[in-house]
Amino acid sequence: QANFIWKIVLNIVDDMFQIVGYIVTGYIMYGGFLMMSSVGSPEKAARAQKTMLSAVVGLVVTIAAIAVVNLTSSRIGM
């Protein structure tokens, strides 16, 4: 019974991290669009760069969290 509940919880957490990964990918694409449309404006280019950097940091955190979830699920025998 407890393994079944843990399996459901870990699957839900894994799905949430996948959704976050898709959102991060969208932000990277949005930052790229901002960079392309900055037309030499340093303020717009800096905003685009900040957006992409934040998205990459979010992606790294998400990948680390997925690794922790997979490690946890393997440790409890899922």
Side-chain angles (χ1 to χ4, degrees):
Q1 179 90 18
N3 279 345
F4 180 70
I5 292 171
W6 272 109
K7 192 171 193 174
I8 290 173
V9 169
L10 290 174
N11 283 336
I12 290 171
V13 169
D14 192 44
D15 289 343
M16 288 184 342
F17 286 140
Q18 287 180 8
I19 291 170
V20 169
Y22 293 136
I23 292 170
V24 165
T25 303
Y27 270 106
I28 290 173
M29 292 171 57
Y30 175 67
F33 174 75
L34 288 177
M35 183 67 79
M36 288 188 305
S37 65
S38 67
V39 192
S41 172
E43 296 87 21
K44 288 182 180 180
R47 179 176 173 225
Q49 203 170 24
K50 183 178 177 185
T51 300
M52 288 190 291
L53 179 65
S54 297
V56 169
V57 168
L59 183 62
V60 169
V61 169
T62 302
I63 290 172
I66 290 171
V68 168
V69 168
N70 288 336
L71 179 67
T72 304
S73 67
S74 68
R75 291 287 179 182
I76 61 173
M78 297 290 153

